[in-house]
Amino acid sequence: MAMQTCGRSFGMAIAIHAIVRAPLAPFSDAGGMAVCGIESRGFLPGGAAALELGVGFVAARKAGGMFRGEKLARKTEPDHRGIRHSLRIQRASLDQGDRVLLVDDWIETGSQALAVWDLLSAVKNFQTLDRVVPALHRLRRLTSAA
């Protein structure tokens, strides 16, 4: 049901605008940043967020997608279906010191968001504007220690 509702929302311009604009309010004056979206559904809100903020877009692609040039890659932990994905970003899409906002349409286990965070962190002086992924890292540490 949630997937159908989310899918329908992406087909309605007013819903897209509301879904994208409201969470971006804290970042509207961030400047000097990029938005990263995770393939495939994360490309929709991620691309829309980049357009709304007037910044660049960094695609985090799954294995098999066409991508030229040097890539950084990470394997995810198993997702809610037990599947491990290989995620990649183009090295040329990021520079040292870039600030990146990670956007996706949902986070079930956080495995893909955490893998992309690790990819982005491989870039020296990477800065994040995201508050969810650090919380996922803390939650993982707490639950694995229990």
Side-chain angles (χ1 to χ4, degrees):
M1 183 64 174
M3 293 293 284
Q4 288 180 328
T5 303
C6 186
R8 285 192 195 129
S9 295
F10 284 140
M12 299 166 38
I14 293 171
I16 292 172
H17 198 250
I19 289 168
V20 171
R21 180 171 269 183
L24 294 178
F27 308 106
S28 61
D29 295 327
M33 62 178 271
V35 173
C36 180
I38 303 172
E39 187 172 10
S40 71
R41 290 169 60 120
F43 286 0
L44 293 169
L51 284 171
E52 180 73 23
L53 294 169
V55 300
F57 180 75
V58 177
R61 304 236 24 212
K62 293 179 180 163
M66 298 211 18
F67 240 179
R68 289 192 164 154
E70 181 186 351
K71 292 164 260 330
L72 300 171
R74 292 288 183 279
K75 194 94 166 164
T76 68
E77 292 297 319
D79 65 12
H80 64 284
R81 297 168 295 176
I83 298 170
R84 295 187 69 183
H85 298 280
S86 178
L87 295 170
R88 304 167 301 141
I89 58 172
Q90 286 177 306
R91 180 65 186 91
S93 64
L94 294 168
D95 290 321
Q96 290 185 3
D98 275 355
R99 297 174 344 139
V100 180
L101 177 64
L102 178 59
V103 175
D104 204 0
D105 66 324
W106 88 6
I107 294 179
E108 180 78 27
T109 64
S111 63
Q112 291 185 37
L114 290 168
V116 171
W117 174 276
D118 289 344
L119 283 172
L120 296 171
S121 298
V123 178
K124 189 175 180 173
N125 297 325
F126 157 77
Q127 299 174 38
T128 184
L129 298 172
D130 199 313
R131 293 174 183 92
V132 173
V133 177
L136 286 172
H137 275 293
R138 286 191 299 277
L139 181 62
R140 278 238 167 122
R141 281 195 300 271
L142 290 173
T143 55
S144 64

PDB file of all heavy atoms in Angstrom, residues 9-49:
ATOM      1  N   SER A   9       1.947   9.479  -5.666  1.00  0.00           N
ATOM      2  CA  SER A   9       2.409  10.819  -5.307  1.00  0.00           C
ATOM      3  C   SER A   9       3.384  11.353  -6.336  1.00  0.00           C
ATOM      4  O   SER A   9       3.364  12.536  -6.671  1.00  0.00           O
ATOM      5  CB  SER A   9       3.073  10.816  -3.928  1.00  0.00           C
ATOM      6  OG  SER A   9       2.132  10.486  -2.940  1.00  0.00           O
ATOM      7  N   PHE A  10       4.270  10.498  -6.854  1.00  0.00           N
ATOM      8  CA  PHE A  10       5.236  10.951  -7.837  1.00  0.00           C
ATOM      9  C   PHE A  10       4.561  11.354  -9.143  1.00  0.00           C
ATOM     10  O   PHE A  10       5.140  12.064  -9.942  1.00  0.00           O
ATOM     11  CB  PHE A  10       6.291   9.880  -8.112  1.00  0.00           C
ATOM     12  CG  PHE A  10       7.322   9.754  -7.028  1.00  0.00           C
ATOM     13  CD1 PHE A  10       7.771   8.515  -6.634  1.00  0.00           C
ATOM     14  CD2 PHE A  10       7.842  10.875  -6.402  1.00  0.00           C
ATOM     15  CE1 PHE A  10       8.719   8.385  -5.642  1.00  0.00           C
ATOM     16  CE2 PHE A  10       8.787  10.766  -5.403  1.00  0.00           C
ATOM     17  CZ  PHE A  10       9.230   9.520  -5.023  1.00  0.00           C
ATOM     18  N   GLY A  11       3.339  10.916  -9.376  1.00  0.00           N
ATOM     19  CA  GLY A  11       2.621  11.267 -10.595  1.00  0.00           C
ATOM     20  C   GLY A  11       1.813  12.550 -10.477  1.00  0.00           C
ATOM     21  O   GLY A  11       1.209  12.993 -11.446  1.00  0.00           O
ATOM     22  N   MET A  12       1.801  13.165  -9.319  1.00  0.00           N
ATOM     23  CA  MET A  12       1.011  14.372  -9.120  1.00  0.00           C
ATOM     24  C   MET A  12       1.938  15.555  -8.852  1.00  0.00           C
ATOM     25  O   MET A  12       2.671  15.575  -7.862  1.00  0.00           O
ATOM     26  CB  MET A  12       0.057  14.173  -7.938  1.00  0.00           C
ATOM     27  CG  MET A  12      -0.913  13.031  -8.167  1.00  0.00           C
ATOM     28  SD  MET A  12      -1.806  12.469  -6.678  1.00  0.00           S
ATOM     29  CE  MET A  12      -2.138  13.935  -5.773  1.00  0.00           C
ATOM     30  N   ALA A  13       1.903  16.565  -9.721  1.00  0.00           N
ATOM     31  CA  ALA A  13       2.822  17.702  -9.620  1.00  0.00           C
ATOM     32  C   ALA A  13       2.751  18.403  -8.269  1.00  0.00           C
ATOM     33  O   ALA A  13       3.781  18.743  -7.680  1.00  0.00           O
ATOM     34  CB  ALA A  13       2.548  18.689 -10.743  1.00  0.00           C
ATOM     35  N   ILE A  14       1.563  18.608  -7.745  1.00  0.00           N
ATOM     36  CA  ILE A  14       1.424  19.308  -6.465  1.00  0.00           C
ATOM     37  C   ILE A  14       2.053  18.472  -5.354  1.00  0.00           C
ATOM     38  O   ILE A  14       2.756  19.002  -4.488  1.00  0.00           O
ATOM     39  CB  ILE A  14      -0.060  19.613  -6.155  1.00  0.00           C
ATOM     40  CG1 ILE A  14      -0.585  20.628  -7.158  1.00  0.00           C
ATOM     41  CG2 ILE A  14      -0.240  20.090  -4.733  1.00  0.00           C
ATOM     42  CD1 ILE A  14      -2.085  20.850  -7.091  1.00  0.00           C
ATOM     43  N   ALA A  15       1.832  17.168  -5.382  1.00  0.00           N
ATOM     44  CA  ALA A  15       2.404  16.292  -4.366  1.00  0.00           C
ATOM     45  C   ALA A  15       3.928  16.282  -4.456  1.00  0.00           C
ATOM     46  O   ALA A  15       4.620  16.344  -3.434  1.00  0.00           O
ATOM     47  CB  ALA A  15       1.856  14.880  -4.505  1.00  0.00           C
ATOM     48  N   ILE A  16       4.457  16.210  -5.669  1.00  0.00           N
ATOM     49  CA  ILE A  16       5.913  16.226  -5.847  1.00  0.00           C
ATOM     50  C   ILE A  16       6.491  17.502  -5.244  1.00  0.00           C
ATOM     51  O   ILE A  16       7.477  17.473  -4.502  1.00  0.00           O
ATOM     52  CB  ILE A  16       6.309  16.112  -7.334  1.00  0.00           C
ATOM     53  CG1 ILE A  16       5.950  14.736  -7.866  1.00  0.00           C
ATOM     54  CG2 ILE A  16       7.799  16.374  -7.514  1.00  0.00           C
ATOM     55  CD1 ILE A  16       6.124  14.605  -9.355  1.00  0.00           C
ATOM     56  N   HIS A  17       5.875  18.611  -5.561  1.00  0.00           N
ATOM     57  CA  HIS A  17       6.370  19.893  -5.061  1.00  0.00           C
ATOM     58  C   HIS A  17       6.372  19.912  -3.530  1.00  0.00           C
ATOM     59  O   HIS A  17       7.345  20.331  -2.900  1.00  0.00           O
ATOM     60  CB  HIS A  17       5.513  21.028  -5.634  1.00  0.00           C
ATOM     61  CG  HIS A  17       6.176  22.346  -5.533  1.00  0.00           C
ATOM     62  ND1 HIS A  17       5.746  23.331  -4.692  1.00  0.00           N
ATOM     63  CD2 HIS A  17       7.260  22.837  -6.179  1.00  0.00           C
ATOM     64  CE1 HIS A  17       6.532  24.373  -4.814  1.00  0.00           C
ATOM     65  NE2 HIS A  17       7.456  24.108  -5.711  1.00  0.00           N
ATOM     66  N   ALA A  18       5.304  19.444  -2.914  1.00  0.00           N
ATOM     67  CA  ALA A  18       5.210  19.425  -1.451  1.00  0.00           C
ATOM     68  C   ALA A  18       6.209  18.451  -0.843  1.00  0.00           C
ATOM     69  O   ALA A  18       6.864  18.756   0.162  1.00  0.00           O
ATOM     70  CB  ALA A  18       3.792  19.067  -1.018  1.00  0.00           C
ATOM     71  N   ILE A  19       6.348  17.264  -1.455  1.00  0.00           N
ATOM     72  CA  ILE A  19       7.270  16.245  -0.953  1.00  0.00           C
ATOM     73  C   ILE A  19       8.707  16.750  -1.002  1.00  0.00           C
ATOM     74  O   ILE A  19       9.500  16.513  -0.109  1.00  0.00           O
ATOM     75  CB  ILE A  19       7.137  14.930  -1.765  1.00  0.00           C
ATOM     76  CG1 ILE A  19       5.809  14.251  -1.449  1.00  0.00           C
ATOM     77  CG2 ILE A  19       8.299  13.984  -1.497  1.00  0.00           C
ATOM     78  CD1 ILE A  19       5.456  13.120  -2.395  1.00  0.00           C
ATOM     79  N   VAL A  20       9.037  17.486  -2.058  1.00  0.00           N
ATOM     80  CA  VAL A  20      10.400  17.961  -2.248  1.00  0.00           C
ATOM     81  C   VAL A  20      10.671  19.245  -1.472  1.00  0.00           C
ATOM     82  O   VAL A  20      11.677  19.365  -0.780  1.00  0.00           O
ATOM     83  CB  VAL A  20      10.701  18.175  -3.750  1.00  0.00           C
ATOM     84  CG1 VAL A  20      12.025  18.873  -3.953  1.00  0.00           C
ATOM     85  CG2 VAL A  20      10.687  16.840  -4.470  1.00  0.00           C
ATOM     86  N   ARG A  21       9.799  20.209  -1.557  1.00  0.00           N
ATOM     87  CA  ARG A  21      10.078  21.536  -1.002  1.00  0.00           C
ATOM     88  C   ARG A  21      10.160  21.562   0.523  1.00  0.00           C
ATOM     89  O   ARG A  21      11.093  22.141   1.077  1.00  0.00           O
ATOM     90  CB  ARG A  21       9.034  22.537  -1.473  1.00  0.00           C
ATOM     91  CG  ARG A  21       9.311  23.931  -0.912  1.00  0.00           C
ATOM     92  CD  ARG A  21       8.442  24.941  -1.530  1.00  0.00           C
ATOM     93  NE  ARG A  21       9.157  25.453  -2.689  1.00  0.00           N
ATOM     94  CZ  ARG A  21       8.707  26.415  -3.444  1.00  0.00           C
ATOM     95  NH1 ARG A  21       7.538  26.943  -3.210  1.00  0.00           N
ATOM     96  NH2 ARG A  21       9.406  26.854  -4.456  1.00  0.00           N
ATOM     97  N   ALA A  22       9.210  20.971   1.209  1.00  0.00           N
ATOM     98  CA  ALA A  22       9.158  21.076   2.674  1.00  0.00           C
ATOM     99  C   ALA A  22      10.440  20.597   3.366  1.00  0.00           C
ATOM    100  O   ALA A  22      11.005  21.329   4.177  1.00  0.00           O
ATOM    101  CB  ALA A  22       7.934  20.345   3.214  1.00  0.00           C
ATOM    102  N   PRO A  23      10.950  19.400   3.050  1.00  0.00           N
ATOM    103  CA  PRO A  23      12.164  18.958   3.749  1.00  0.00           C
ATOM    104  C   PRO A  23      13.417  19.759   3.378  1.00  0.00           C
ATOM    105  O   PRO A  23      14.410  19.707   4.079  1.00  0.00           O
ATOM    106  CB  PRO A  23      12.335  17.500   3.325  1.00  0.00           C
ATOM    107  CG  PRO A  23      11.094  17.108   2.641  1.00  0.00           C
ATOM    108  CD  PRO A  23      10.390  18.352   2.212  1.00  0.00           C
ATOM    109  N   LEU A  24      13.371  20.496   2.276  1.00  0.00           N
ATOM    110  CA  LEU A  24      14.549  21.230   1.826  1.00  0.00           C
ATOM    111  C   LEU A  24      14.685  22.609   2.452  1.00  0.00           C
ATOM    112  O   LEU A  24      15.722  23.248   2.303  1.00  0.00           O
ATOM    113  CB  LEU A  24      14.533  21.381   0.296  1.00  0.00           C
ATOM    114  CG  LEU A  24      14.674  20.081  -0.477  1.00  0.00           C
ATOM    115  CD1 LEU A  24      14.596  20.354  -1.966  1.00  0.00           C
ATOM    116  CD2 LEU A  24      15.975  19.389  -0.133  1.00  0.00           C
ATOM    117  N   ALA A  25      13.669  23.062   3.149  1.00  0.00           N
ATOM    118  CA  ALA A  25      13.696  24.411   3.725  1.00  0.00           C
ATOM    119  C   ALA A  25      14.991  24.696   4.503  1.00  0.00           C
ATOM    120  O   ALA A  25      15.590  25.755   4.312  1.00  0.00           O
ATOM    121  CB  ALA A  25      12.467  24.643   4.589  1.00  0.00           C
ATOM    122  N   PRO A  26      15.485  23.777   5.332  1.00  0.00           N
ATOM    123  CA  PRO A  26      16.718  24.081   6.077  1.00  0.00           C
ATOM    124  C   PRO A  26      17.958  24.233   5.189  1.00  0.00           C
ATOM    125  O   PRO A  26      18.970  24.758   5.626  1.00  0.00           O
ATOM    126  CB  PRO A  26      16.893  22.875   7.010  1.00  0.00           C
ATOM    127  CG  PRO A  26      15.577  22.204   7.054  1.00  0.00           C
ATOM    128  CD  PRO A  26      14.900  22.513   5.755  1.00  0.00           C
ATOM    129  N   PHE A  27      17.879  23.748   3.952  1.00  0.00           N
ATOM    130  CA  PHE A  27      19.049  23.756   3.072  1.00  0.00           C
ATOM    131  C   PHE A  27      18.973  24.816   1.979  1.00  0.00           C
ATOM    132  O   PHE A  27      19.853  24.898   1.135  1.00  0.00           O
ATOM    133  CB  PHE A  27      19.224  22.374   2.430  1.00  0.00           C
ATOM    134  CG  PHE A  27      19.220  21.267   3.437  1.00  0.00           C
ATOM    135  CD1 PHE A  27      18.123  20.437   3.574  1.00  0.00           C
ATOM    136  CD2 PHE A  27      20.309  21.079   4.277  1.00  0.00           C
ATOM    137  CE1 PHE A  27      18.114  19.428   4.517  1.00  0.00           C
ATOM    138  CE2 PHE A  27      20.304  20.073   5.229  1.00  0.00           C
ATOM    139  CZ  PHE A  27      19.206  19.242   5.351  1.00  0.00           C
ATOM    140  N   SER A  28      17.934  25.629   1.982  1.00  0.00           N
ATOM    141  CA  SER A  28      17.719  26.582   0.890  1.00  0.00           C
ATOM    142  C   SER A  28      18.845  27.601   0.758  1.00  0.00           C
ATOM    143  O   SER A  28      19.103  28.094  -0.330  1.00  0.00           O
ATOM    144  CB  SER A  28      16.372  27.286   1.042  1.00  0.00           C
ATOM    145  OG  SER A  28      16.339  28.006   2.258  1.00  0.00           O
ATOM    146  N   ASP A  29      19.544  27.903   1.841  1.00  0.00           N
ATOM    147  CA  ASP A  29      20.660  28.850   1.784  1.00  0.00           C
ATOM    148  C   ASP A  29      22.005  28.161   1.968  1.00  0.00           C
ATOM    149  O   ASP A  29      23.003  28.822   2.267  1.00  0.00           O
ATOM    150  CB  ASP A  29      20.488  29.924   2.873  1.00  0.00           C
ATOM    151  CG  ASP A  29      19.260  30.783   2.638  1.00  0.00           C
ATOM    152  OD1 ASP A  29      18.922  31.019   1.465  1.00  0.00           O
ATOM    153  OD2 ASP A  29      18.643  31.202   3.633  1.00  0.00           O
ATOM    154  N   ALA A  30      22.040  26.845   1.797  1.00  0.00           N
ATOM    155  CA  ALA A  30      23.267  26.090   2.077  1.00  0.00           C
ATOM    156  C   ALA A  30      24.385  26.419   1.089  1.00  0.00           C
ATOM    157  O   ALA A  30      25.544  26.442   1.456  1.00  0.00           O
ATOM    158  CB  ALA A  30      22.978  24.594   2.078  1.00  0.00           C
ATOM    159  N   GLY A  31      24.066  26.646  -0.177  1.00  0.00           N
ATOM    160  CA  GLY A  31      25.077  26.990  -1.182  1.00  0.00           C
ATOM    161  C   GLY A  31      26.212  25.986  -1.265  1.00  0.00           C
ATOM    162  O   GLY A  31      26.482  25.264  -0.330  1.00  0.00           O
ATOM    163  N   GLY A  32      26.897  25.958  -2.397  1.00  0.00           N
ATOM    164  CA  GLY A  32      28.073  25.118  -2.583  1.00  0.00           C
ATOM    165  C   GLY A  32      27.876  23.670  -2.236  1.00  0.00           C
ATOM    166  O   GLY A  32      28.688  23.071  -1.539  1.00  0.00           O
ATOM    167  N   MET A  33      26.801  23.107  -2.709  1.00  0.00           N
ATOM    168  CA  MET A  33      26.503  21.722  -2.361  1.00  0.00           C
ATOM    169  C   MET A  33      25.996  20.966  -3.577  1.00  0.00           C
ATOM    170  O   MET A  33      25.817  21.543  -4.645  1.00  0.00           O
ATOM    171  CB  MET A  33      25.457  21.670  -1.256  1.00  0.00           C
ATOM    172  CG  MET A  33      24.119  22.273  -1.646  1.00  0.00           C
ATOM    173  SD  MET A  33      22.874  22.166  -0.354  1.00  0.00           S
ATOM    174  CE  MET A  33      22.139  20.597  -0.714  1.00  0.00           C
ATOM    175  N   ALA A  34      25.781  19.679  -3.403  1.00  0.00           N
ATOM    176  CA  ALA A  34      25.171  18.830  -4.416  1.00  0.00           C
ATOM    177  C   ALA A  34      24.170  17.920  -3.710  1.00  0.00           C
ATOM    178  O   ALA A  34      24.228  17.750  -2.497  1.00  0.00           O
ATOM    179  CB  ALA A  34      26.223  17.989  -5.126  1.00  0.00           C
ATOM    180  N   VAL A  35      23.264  17.347  -4.489  1.00  0.00           N
ATOM    181  CA  VAL A  35      22.302  16.379  -3.962  1.00  0.00           C
ATOM    182  C   VAL A  35      22.649  15.019  -4.552  1.00  0.00           C
ATOM    183  O   VAL A  35      22.929  14.911  -5.744  1.00  0.00           O
ATOM    184  CB  VAL A  35      20.851  16.768  -4.338  1.00  0.00           C
ATOM    185  CG1 VAL A  35      19.874  15.668  -3.940  1.00  0.00           C
ATOM    186  CG2 VAL A  35      20.462  18.085  -3.695  1.00  0.00           C
ATOM    187  N   CYS A  36      22.643  13.986  -3.729  1.00  0.00           N
ATOM    188  CA  CYS A  36      22.893  12.624  -4.182  1.00  0.00           C
ATOM    189  C   CYS A  36      21.617  11.809  -4.022  1.00  0.00           C
ATOM    190  O   CYS A  36      20.994  11.831  -2.960  1.00  0.00           O
ATOM    191  CB  CYS A  36      24.018  12.000  -3.356  1.00  0.00           C
ATOM    192  SG  CYS A  36      24.406  10.297  -3.826  1.00  0.00           S
ATOM    193  N   GLY A  37      21.217  11.101  -5.083  1.00  0.00           N
ATOM    194  CA  GLY A  37      20.049  10.230  -5.050  1.00  0.00           C
ATOM    195  C   GLY A  37      20.438   8.804  -5.378  1.00  0.00           C
ATOM    196  O   GLY A  37      21.343   8.567  -6.176  1.00  0.00           O
ATOM    197  N   ILE A  38      19.769   7.846  -4.751  1.00  0.00           N
ATOM    198  CA  ILE A  38      20.071   6.425  -4.926  1.00  0.00           C
ATOM    199  C   ILE A  38      19.131   5.829  -5.968  1.00  0.00           C
ATOM    200  O   ILE A  38      17.917   5.995  -5.893  1.00  0.00           O
ATOM    201  CB  ILE A  38      19.939   5.676  -3.586  1.00  0.00           C
ATOM    202  CG1 ILE A  38      20.869   6.299  -2.533  1.00  0.00           C
ATOM    203  CG2 ILE A  38      20.244   4.196  -3.767  1.00  0.00           C
ATOM    204  CD1 ILE A  38      20.667   5.750  -1.134  1.00  0.00           C
ATOM    205  N   GLU A  39      19.707   5.092  -6.927  1.00  0.00           N
ATOM    206  CA  GLU A  39      18.937   4.460  -7.999  1.00  0.00           C
ATOM    207  C   GLU A  39      17.914   3.485  -7.411  1.00  0.00           C
ATOM    208  O   GLU A  39      18.221   2.761  -6.483  1.00  0.00           O
ATOM    209  CB  GLU A  39      19.886   3.704  -8.923  1.00  0.00           C
ATOM    210  CG  GLU A  39      19.212   3.168 -10.137  1.00  0.00           C
ATOM    211  CD  GLU A  39      20.205   2.583 -11.152  1.00  0.00           C
ATOM    212  OE1 GLU A  39      21.394   2.424 -10.853  1.00  0.00           O
ATOM    213  OE2 GLU A  39      19.760   2.277 -12.254  1.00  0.00           O
ATOM    214  N   SER A  40      16.765   3.412  -7.907  1.00  0.00           N
ATOM    215  CA  SER A  40      16.226   4.175  -9.014  1.00  0.00           C
ATOM    216  C   SER A  40      15.225   5.218  -8.522  1.00  0.00           C
ATOM    217  O   SER A  40      15.189   6.339  -8.989  1.00  0.00           O
ATOM    218  CB  SER A  40      15.590   3.258 -10.040  1.00  0.00           C
ATOM    219  OG  SER A  40      14.399   2.693  -9.565  1.00  0.00           O
ATOM    220  N   ARG A  41      14.423   4.839  -7.550  1.00  0.00           N
ATOM    221  CA  ARG A  41      13.384   5.779  -7.102  1.00  0.00           C
ATOM    222  C   ARG A  41      13.953   7.006  -6.419  1.00  0.00           C
ATOM    223  O   ARG A  41      13.324   8.055  -6.403  1.00  0.00           O
ATOM    224  CB  ARG A  41      12.377   5.065  -6.209  1.00  0.00           C
ATOM    225  CG  ARG A  41      11.522   4.088  -7.005  1.00  0.00           C
ATOM    226  CD  ARG A  41      10.712   3.192  -6.100  1.00  0.00           C
ATOM    227  NE  ARG A  41       9.817   3.953  -5.265  1.00  0.00           N
ATOM    228  CZ  ARG A  41       8.497   3.816  -5.271  1.00  0.00           C
ATOM    229  NH1 ARG A  41       7.944   2.933  -6.061  1.00  0.00           N
ATOM    230  NH2 ARG A  41       7.753   4.539  -4.459  1.00  0.00           N
ATOM    231  N   GLY A  42      15.139   6.912  -5.866  1.00  0.00           N
ATOM    232  CA  GLY A  42      15.766   8.071  -5.240  1.00  0.00           C
ATOM    233  C   GLY A  42      16.167   9.140  -6.246  1.00  0.00           C
ATOM    234  O   GLY A  42      16.426  10.288  -5.893  1.00  0.00           O
ATOM    235  N   PHE A  43      16.226   8.744  -7.537  1.00  0.00           N
ATOM    236  CA  PHE A  43      16.528   9.737  -8.571  1.00  0.00           C
ATOM    237  C   PHE A  43      15.400  10.757  -8.702  1.00  0.00           C
ATOM    238  O   PHE A  43      15.645  11.908  -9.054  1.00  0.00           O
ATOM    239  CB  PHE A  43      16.743   9.070  -9.928  1.00  0.00           C
ATOM    240  CG  PHE A  43      18.056   8.336 -10.070  1.00  0.00           C
ATOM    241  CD1 PHE A  43      18.986   8.273  -9.035  1.00  0.00           C
ATOM    242  CD2 PHE A  43      18.363   7.692 -11.249  1.00  0.00           C
ATOM    243  CE1 PHE A  43      20.191   7.594  -9.175  1.00  0.00           C
ATOM    244  CE2 PHE A  43      19.557   7.018 -11.411  1.00  0.00           C
ATOM    245  CZ  PHE A  43      20.478   6.967 -10.379  1.00  0.00           C
ATOM    246  N   LEU A  44      14.169  10.337  -8.443  1.00  0.00           N
ATOM    247  CA  LEU A  44      13.036  11.269  -8.574  1.00  0.00           C
ATOM    248  C   LEU A  44      13.089  12.387  -7.531  1.00  0.00           C
ATOM    249  O   LEU A  44      13.188  13.559  -7.897  1.00  0.00           O
ATOM    250  CB  LEU A  44      11.709  10.506  -8.496  1.00  0.00           C
ATOM    251  CG  LEU A  44      11.425   9.560  -9.655  1.00  0.00           C
ATOM    252  CD1 LEU A  44      10.243   8.670  -9.332  1.00  0.00           C
ATOM    253  CD2 LEU A  44      11.173  10.337 -10.921  1.00  0.00           C
ATOM    254  N   PRO A  45      13.036  12.070  -6.238  1.00  0.00           N
ATOM    255  CA  PRO A  45      13.120  13.173  -5.270  1.00  0.00           C
ATOM    256  C   PRO A  45      14.497  13.830  -5.256  1.00  0.00           C
ATOM    257  O   PRO A  45      14.613  15.032  -5.010  1.00  0.00           O
ATOM    258  CB  PRO A  45      12.793  12.518  -3.926  1.00  0.00           C
ATOM    259  CG  PRO A  45      13.091  11.068  -4.119  1.00  0.00           C
ATOM    260  CD  PRO A  45      12.818  10.780  -5.573  1.00  0.00           C
ATOM    261  N   GLY A  46      15.545  13.056  -5.531  1.00  0.00           N
ATOM    262  CA  GLY A  46      16.893  13.632  -5.552  1.00  0.00           C
ATOM    263  C   GLY A  46      17.071  14.644  -6.673  1.00  0.00           C
ATOM    264  O   GLY A  46      17.592  15.743  -6.456  1.00  0.00           O
ATOM    265  N   GLY A  47      16.630  14.272  -7.873  1.00  0.00           N
ATOM    266  CA  GLY A  47      16.715  15.199  -9.002  1.00  0.00           C
ATOM    267  C   GLY A  47      15.851  16.425  -8.781  1.00  0.00           C
ATOM    268  O   GLY A  47      16.260  17.561  -9.066  1.00  0.00           O
ATOM    269  N   ALA A  48      14.652  16.210  -8.244  1.00  0.00           N
ATOM    270  CA  ALA A  48      13.752  17.333  -7.963  1.00  0.00           C
ATOM    271  C   ALA A  48      14.354  18.246  -6.890  1.00  0.00           C
ATOM    272  O   ALA A  48      14.259  19.472  -6.979  1.00  0.00           O
ATOM    273  CB  ALA A  48      12.382  16.815  -7.525  1.00  0.00           C
ATOM    274  N   ALA A  49      14.993  17.655  -5.876  1.00  0.00           N
ATOM    275  CA  ALA A  49      15.631  18.450  -4.821  1.00  0.00           C
ATOM    276  C   ALA A  49      16.771  19.287  -5.387  1.00  0.00           C
ATOM    277  O   ALA A  49      16.922  20.463  -5.051  1.00  0.00           O
ATOM    278  CB  ALA A  49      16.142  17.533  -3.707  1.00  0.00           C
TER     279      ALA A  49
END
